[in-house]
Amino acid sequence: MYRGLSGACATVLLCLAAAQPALASPSVYKTAPDEPRAITVKGVGNGRADDSSAIQQAIDKAAEKGGGGIVFLPAGTYRISRTLFLWPGVRIFGIGEQRPVILLGRSTPGFQRGVAHMLMFTGSTRQTDKDTRPAAFPPAGSVPFNKDIADANPGTFYSALGNIDFRIMDGNPAATAIRFHSAQHSFVSHVDFDIGSGLAGLYHVANEAEDLHFKGGRYGILAEKPSPAWPFALVDATFEGQRDAAIREHEAGLTLVNVAIRDTPVGIEIDRGYGDWLWGQDVRFENVSKAGVIISNEKNVYTQVGFQNVVASNTPTFARFRESGRTVAGKGVTYKVTSFTHGLTLPGLGRVGEYRTDMQAESIASLPAPAGPAIRALPLVSEWVSVRTLGAKGDDSTDDTAAIQKAIDSHRVVYLPAGFYRVSDTLRLRPDTVLLGLHPSLTQIALPDGTPAWAGVGAPKALVESAQGGDAIVAGLGLNTNGANPRATGLLWKAGANSMVNDVKFQGGHGTDRFDGSRVTPYNNNATGDPDAARRWAGQYASLWVTQGGGGTFANIWSPSTFGHPGILISDTDTPGRLIQASVEHHVRTEIGLNRVANWELLAPQTEGEAGESGDAVALEIRNSRNILVANFHGYRVTRTREPAPAAVTLYNSHDIRFRNVHVNAESGLGTCDENGCATFLRLTKFPFENSISDVTHGLDVRDREFAVLDVPATPDPVTPSTFLGGQVEKLADGFHSIGGGAVDAQGRLYFIDRKFQRIWRWSNAGKLEMVRDATLDPVNLTVDRSGNLLVLSSYGRNGTVYSVKPDAPDSEISVIAATSVTSHPDAATVLPVNWWNNGEFRDQIDPKTYAFTTLAEMFARDMALPKAREYVSPDGSVALPAWRVFAQGPADHRGLRFSDSLDSYGFIQGKPGERVYVTNGSENRTYSGIVGAGGAMTDLKPFAERGGEGVTSDVQGRVYIANGQVFVHAPDGKAIGRIDVPERPLQILFGGADRKTLFILAHHGLYAWRMP
């Protein structure tokens, strides 16, 4: 009778259990949208048959069309027996009166050990080419394991899942519902997770998720750092009955908005050995027995924890600190937390902070009623009117302006099926218009280049413009103003506080697909402009412009068009507004701008400055504004960047600006395979923003790139520079582009490189600046052997190049040094990078047996202990530079980019085998001492100071100097004893001079010195 049933239905009882109706939730797509491009799953959906193949076939078919696709899963219960792969750019939506349920039956084989995923967002396209290079680190969680499936990565765009529930039945302790890694413009929404015996609902996170509800399981969410380290926003979610913690994570950039956690031991647990940029707003804790939040690495800059407007009941401990055991108690049985912050707290602009924990809380009589959702619900699909029924074609050639405007004028809810809709005039919304699509890459409103109405000099003219006031909605669309329409702004938003823009991509530049699904190339052959010179970077108005009293909620926005200036502009409004998770990237001068704005919140804004176009760009510019909250801000410059920039955030005549959790960086990892095998490709540039914030009005900078709290008042306190031992900082020379790679010879003379101009300079003991070499040889770092020969590491060639020159020899003399096998060199010094960045990105660090994560300190100790097989030996044999593995981007000549621990460092140190030296690890912001071994290995690592940075050195008395915004001085036992303030950010520091008592300080543009008294 049961012979026809497959997979987990091996017995009558098991089949009956699997056939139990899943507890489906009310659907947000009760009928299928009129979407001709959608592929509908043809599964059985009865909870008994194995529907794995049917769902996967539909996803595969959708992906074949190019640029991604749309899949509809009808109502039903779909039992699966293996992992489903959601290919890049594919979006799957449940349809029907009740949400469809994807079910994992009892004791499904493969879901009992380690981590096993029901569905994975992937970084692979379908593996149909037998010659396709294997994935660098295929996640172990695919069932059955598939080595050809890559995890979603920094190039994974647009993937999404919505309106589908997941249910895990007994006997699947390793099961997770969704592995949710992705880069830009992905989401998971409207999902109920009945996790039951399983491990977690979400494993890994990305971008934004909304209306998620987690019941049971060991964890609701279990997450490492997102891809590619962007913040993650979780909105309108609930957690109930998790066995260990509602959320367990580290480095997730976790932003919570309107989230409730109840009936679990722990609310949010940050993993041992890690920190996070954690911000919670409008959060509820109910019956959380051990702690609302467990905080690790409490004295580390990467631990930034903040909450605002939290209510709690039967949660006696609000915060618990893992290492110290310290706790912060709640205020009675039921209480309200107006504000909680922990982390590096800055007392003012230009001032050095301290680690503080602050909670403002009071007891209340009872919990208030839950707030309404932060993200508005869309109208029922039955109200959606397709523009195709009113004559729009979406064929990338027909002018659809009149048809779309007619639809807007005659219907409140207008739906654009997948297609490219060309327009020749502004589309004007009514106050209550709802303009919808399901896929911002496949559904674009496009303005052809050279459209007459947008030509020449004049006031901004919108592609789409909202009415003044009202509660309009725009969601699920791509807006493309192209590159040769000078008056264009993509979306001019003047709607009111209840309006919403959600899941909108401003096309142009990176991540832009054509009508046929092919990806646009945004650069000419040297990345200095668009391939079409008529398309001018920063030649248009803002892509998204909120103005004239506009406000509302803006969620999951991607604005990377290089042609817009800026990516997002908010101006001339005090209507409340909230930006939740926006990726704003690749602009020429400003990514996000505010001017004459009040009463706004920027939650989880992420910016990315590209090498070709963003060398002079600031991430966030705030002018003439007040009452602004900026929380979980991530200001990033790509590793390809090759020029300095002064500050991520600039302030002009603004006050009551509240910064909570600021993360400014320029390093990135990527799993890759080359001729040397597969590895995590760690890239560390020398050009992050020099400062996090510059208050231009008052001439004050914030050097700390990582901090938890800073409030900007109307009149900041003045700052007096700090000195140490009475010594003064002297500027020796300036006017450089970007100097570094310094080394001191036996006479105490300093040599250094100006990287852009490829010149090697010397500062003599007589106080003179001398040019030693001027040749196009791509020098990066220097060291000096005992005979005075310069050993130069160059970025030229597949693995870089090492050459030697004598400082005062004829310019024509140069000796290229080949790498040789490491051998013993009695009394020779080993050359080591002074600063490191060691991180396990894009390779799962979880131990599948213990579910513990390898910590950053453990990774650093493990990797530092590995000797190198080859080395470069100086002409006199007195120093040896180990040959670190080099990762290549681009061709082997000067056009390519090279990354290695030695190329990435701000400079070198020397140490003989057996000597103890100091180095910094940027991924921990920690300084270590370690013993030098053969082949560049370093062992017996001991934490020295909870402060890392760009450089470290020591003086003859054993004091240790760390360059980290300023120069911080520590006693030999690690105790902080002083600070030396420098006019520019110090990047490399080293002692020289005839008596070795001159501390040379290299900044990008200037050379400074501090003389030890």
Side-chain angles (χ1 to χ4, degrees):
M1 179 177 178
Y2 297 97
R3 191 170 296 170
L5 301 177
S6 61
C9 283
T11 68
V12 173
L13 291 177
L14 197 58
C15 287
L16 292 175
Q20 292 175 1
L23 302 177
S25 307
S27 176
V28 298
Y29 305 113
K30 293 184 179 297
T31 56
D34 183 5
E35 181 50 73
R37 179 153 178 168
I39 304 298
T40 300
V41 175
K42 303 298 184 182
V44 177
N46 64 3
R48 299 184 183 89
D50 187 344
D51 286 314
S52 306
S53 294
I55 299 173
Q56 191 63 63
Q57 287 171 9
I59 295 172
D60 294 350
K61 188 174 182 181
E64 290 174 354
K65 293 179 179 293
I70 297 171
V71 175
F72 288 156
L73 182 65
T77 299
Y78 297 84
R79 189 176 63 80
I80 63 169
S81 59
R82 58 184 175 86
T83 300
L84 303 174
F85 300 117
L86 191 66
W87 309 118
V90 175
R91 294 184 162 197
I92 182 169
F93 300 97
I95 56 173
E97 282 292 330
Q98 298 293 115
R99 285 185 203 163
V101 177
I102 297 180
L103 173 72
L104 191 67
R106 288 185 179 176
S107 303
T108 299
F111 291 86
Q112 284 68 51
R113 293 188 178 89
V115 180
H117 310 302
M118 295 174 67
L119 182 144
M120 281 178 53
F121 284 60
T122 78
S124 309
T125 53
R126 294 184 61 204
Q127 298 290 312
T128 56
D129 184 350
K130 66 180 181 180
D131 296 323
T132 299
R133 179 175 288 180
F137 301 112
S142 60
V143 179
F145 174 68
N146 188 330
K147 67 179 179 60
D148 294 325
I149 300 299
D151 193 13
N153 58 51
T156 304
F157 306 142
Y158 305 115
S159 310
L161 180 146
N163 200 46
I164 299 171
D165 290 346
F166 286 79
R167 187 184 183 197
I168 299 171
M169 298 192 69
D170 290 344
N172 298 296
T176 77
I178 303 172
R179 183 185 178 99
F180 179 36
H181 247 176
S182 185
Q184 274 81 359
H185 227 93
S186 296
F187 64 79
V188 172
S189 66
H190 312 302
V191 180
D192 285 2
F193 297 91
D194 187 354
I195 308 167
S197 67
L199 178 63
L202 291 182
Y203 183 71
H204 291 319
V205 288
N207 279 95
E208 189 251 10
E210 59 193 60
D211 189 26
L212 305 186
H213 305 279
F214 302 86
K215 182 178 180 181
R218 187 170 179 180
Y219 308 101
I221 294 177
L222 177 60
E224 299 182 55
K225 179 180 286 189
S227 168
W230 303 149
F232 165 65
L234 177 64
V235 188
D236 297 332
T238 62
F239 296 81
E240 180 179 356
Q242 281 71 50
R243 296 188 294 276
D244 286 11
I247 301 173
R248 179 184 165 197
E249 57 93 8
H250 62 261
E251 297 189 330
L254 180 61
T255 302
L256 306 175
V257 179
N258 191 31
V259 172
I261 296 171
R262 60 178 66 95
D263 302 328
T264 185
V266 176
I268 304 117
E269 177 182 359
I270 300 175
D271 283 302
R272 175 184 67 91
Y274 284 95
D276 188 33
W277 307 270
L278 168 60
W279 177 253
Q281 191 165 319
D282 304 325
V283 175
R284 297 169 69 94
F285 293 111
E286 301 178 48
N287 304 320
V288 179
S289 58
K290 292 183 179 179
V293 57
I294 293 178
I295 300 170
S296 301
N297 272 16
E298 61 188 276
K299 292 292 183 71
N300 191 279
V301 294
Y302 296 121
T303 297
Q304 303 168 19
V305 179
F307 289 91
Q308 176 177 291
N309 191 30
V310 175
V311 293
S313 67
N314 296 318
T315 304
T317 300
F318 185 80
R320 183 183 301 275
F321 294 87
R322 183 186 301 276
E323 289 84 9
S324 69
R326 184 166 63 94
T327 61
V328 178
K331 300 291 185 180
V333 176
T334 305
Y335 56 95
K336 177 180 180 178
V337 180
T338 304
S339 171
F340 174 92
T341 59
H342 171 80
L344 184 63
T345 300
L346 306 184
L349 292 160
R351 305 175 75 86
V352 173
E354 62 181 3
Y355 291 96
R356 291 187 56 190
T357 304
D358 180 78
M359 184 166 80
Q360 304 297 318
E362 62 181 353
S363 177
I364 57 177
S366 61
L367 290 179
I375 302 293
R376 289 175 58 190
L378 298 179
L380 295 175
V381 176
S382 58
E383 301 179 44
W384 299 13
V385 176
S386 171
V387 295
R388 298 285 181 90
T389 64
L390 298 175
K393 301 296 185 183
D395 58 9
D396 198 33
S397 59
T398 302
D399 186 341
D400 287 319
T401 310
I404 298 175
Q405 190 64 58
K406 179 181 178 182
I408 293 169
D409 293 342
S410 56
H411 300 278
R412 185 176 78 91
V413 185
V414 176
Y415 174 66
L416 279 69
F420 279 34
Y421 298 85
R422 291 195 172 201
V423 298
S424 57
D425 203 354
T426 299
L427 298 175
R428 301 183 186 278
L429 309 183
R430 301 188 303 171
D432 62 349
T433 294
V434 179
L435 189 66
L436 301 174
L438 287 177
H439 197 302
S441 182
L442 300 181
T443 308
Q444 297 188 29
I445 300 174
L447 183 64
D449 273 333
T451 302
W454 277 267
V457 174
K461 182 176 174 60
L463 179 62
V464 177
E465 180 176 336
S466 77
Q468 190 90 31
D471 60 352
I473 296 175
V474 173
L477 294 173
L479 303 179
N480 192 346
T481 56
N482 271 296
N485 295 296
R487 293 179 57 198
T489 184
L491 179 59
L492 189 63
W493 197 257
K494 299 179 287 186
N498 294 321
S499 65
M500 182 176 74
V501 178
N502 192 356
D503 186 33
V504 170
K505 161 76 182 296
F506 294 90
Q507 301 287 352
H510 292 255
T512 299
D513 288 341
R514 299 183 181 88
F515 184 61
D516 63 5
S518 62
R519 183 66 51 88
V520 169
T521 300
Y523 291 135
N524 58 18
N525 63 0
N526 63 357
T528 58
D530 191 84
D532 181 351
R535 292 161 57 90
R536 179 185 179 190
W537 286 351
Q540 300 178 355
Y541 289 103
S543 293
L544 169 62
W545 192 344
V546 185
T547 189
Q548 298 180 38
T553 298
F554 301 79
N556 199 15
I557 305 297
W558 189 14
S559 183
S561 173
T562 312
F563 309 110
H565 172 70
I568 295 178
L569 175 61
I570 306 163
S571 70
D572 299 294
T573 182
D574 58 9
T575 301
R578 178 187 278 178
L579 189 68
I580 303 174
Q581 202 288 304
S583 292
V584 189
E585 309 173 317
H586 311 160
H587 296 92
V588 174
R589 299 194 294 278
T590 309
E591 306 282 6
I592 303 172
L594 278 66
N595 187 23
R596 293 185 293 272
V597 177
N599 311 319
W600 270 69
E601 298 176 341
L602 310 184
L603 309 181
Q606 166 258 313
T607 67
E608 179 183 82
E610 252 297 349
E613 58 267 38
S614 305
D616 299 316
V618 298
L620 172 62
E621 181 177 274
I622 303 177
R623 295 182 282 151
N624 310 304
S625 298
R626 58 181 173 80
N627 190 24
I628 307 295
L629 170 67
V630 181
N632 269 12
F633 167 75
H634 186 179
Y636 174 69
R637 302 186 88 208
V638 299
T639 56
R640 297 174 290 279
T641 300
R642 289 296 178 266
E643 66 178 287
V649 181
T650 52
L651 306 177
Y652 298 84
N653 192 32
S654 296
H655 66 277
D656 192 14
I657 314 297
R658 302 179 304 283
F659 290 97
R660 299 293 183 267
N661 301 0
V662 168
H663 174 41
V664 174
N665 77 319
E667 70 274 342
S668 180
L670 182 68
T672 191
C673 300
D674 59 17
E675 68 274 20
N676 298 310
C678 297
T680 300
F681 175 5
L682 296 179
R683 300 169 295 179
L684 178 63
T685 181
K686 299 178 176 70
F687 302 101
F689 291 105
E690 293 182 49
N691 305 296
S692 60
I693 301 171
S694 178
D695 187 329
V696 180
T697 302
H698 298 98
L700 295 172
D701 295 329
V702 176
R703 295 276 177 90
D704 290 288
R705 297 193 186 114
E706 304 281 342
F707 61 87
V709 178
L710 172 65
D711 293 329
V712 178
T715 305
D717 293 332
V719 176
T720 301
S722 177
T723 61
F724 180 63
L725 299 179
Q728 300 298 313
V729 173
E730 176 189 2
K731 180 184 286 187
L732 303 181
D734 64 6
F736 304 107
H737 180 271
S738 50
I739 62 174
V744 173
D745 67 10
Q747 300 176 50
R749 297 177 299 183
L750 172 70
Y751 296 85
F752 60 93
I753 296 164
D754 193 343
R755 298 184 190 92
K756 179 176 181 179
F757 295 105
Q758 305 196 41
R759 290 169 173 167
I760 299 176
W761 296 89
R762 177 170 63 198
W763 182 262
S764 73
N765 289 338
K768 295 180 180 179
L769 184 66
E770 304 167 335
M771 191 185 301
V772 174
R773 288 287 169 130
D774 182 13
T776 308
L777 300 174
D778 300 305
V780 174
N781 280 321
L782 304 172
T783 195
V784 187
D785 69 11
R786 286 190 207 135
S787 303
N789 301 296
L790 297 184
L791 199 65
V792 185
L793 175 63
S794 162
S795 60
Y796 193 96
R798 168 60 185 85
N799 293 302
T801 302
V802 176
Y803 64 89
S804 176
V805 296
K806 291 183 178 296
D808 297 311
D811 289 351
S812 58
E813 293 186 7
I814 179 174
S815 299
V816 175
I817 299 175
T820 55
S821 297
V822 168
T823 59
S824 175
H825 302 282
D827 202 35
T830 300
V831 180
L832 298 167
V834 68
N835 67 291
W836 303 70
W837 184 65
N838 188 280
N839 187 284
E841 288 180 350
F842 304 103
R843 181 176 188 175
D844 286 358
Q845 298 297 323
I846 197 167
D847 183 329
K849 295 181 180 179
T850 65
Y851 294 108
F853 290 93
T854 307
T855 68
L856 293 170
E858 291 166 346
M859 291 181 216
F860 190 50
R862 176 196 65 200
D863 294 347
M864 292 292 284
L866 298 175
K868 307 300 172 284
R870 299 177 71 78
E871 63 186 358
Y872 302 94
V873 181
S874 70
D876 70 355
S878 65
V879 297
L881 172 64
W884 275 271
R885 177 173 177 173
V886 176
F887 292 91
Q889 280 187 292
D893 60 23
H894 65 280
R895 295 170 295 169
L897 298 173
R898 303 293 177 265
F899 298 91
S900 70
D901 290 327
S902 51
L903 285 166
D904 293 350
S905 179
Y906 282 99
F908 290 151
I909 58 173
Q910 292 186 10
K912 294 181 180 179
E915 288 184 347
R916 185 169 288 276
V917 298
Y918 294 97
V919 294
T920 70
N921 181 20
S923 66
E924 299 179 87
N925 194 58
R926 180 174 289 155
T927 296
Y928 285 89
S929 72
I931 296 175
V932 178
M938 185 179 291
T939 58
D940 194 32
L941 285 178
K942 295 181 179 180
F944 174 77
E946 289 298 323
R947 181 183 293 279
E950 290 88 341
V952 59
T953 191
S954 58
D955 65 19
V956 293
Q957 298 181 30
R959 291 175 299 216
V960 178
Y961 300 71
I962 302 171
N964 184 217
Q966 302 289 2
V967 178
F968 293 85
V969 189
H970 293 253
D973 63 0
K975 181 181 178 181
I977 57 175
R979 191 176 81 243
I980 303 170
D981 285 357
V982 185
E984 294 181 66
R985 185 183 191 92
L987 299 175
Q988 188 189 12
I989 52 177
L990 59 172
F991 275 98
D995 58 2
R996 289 298 197 273
K997 289 188 175 181
T998 297
L999 180 67
F1000 290 113
I1001 303 170
L1002 282 67
H1004 278 312
H1005 305 297
L1007 173 65
Y1008 299 85
W1010 174 82
R1011 178 72 181 170
M1012 186 189 305

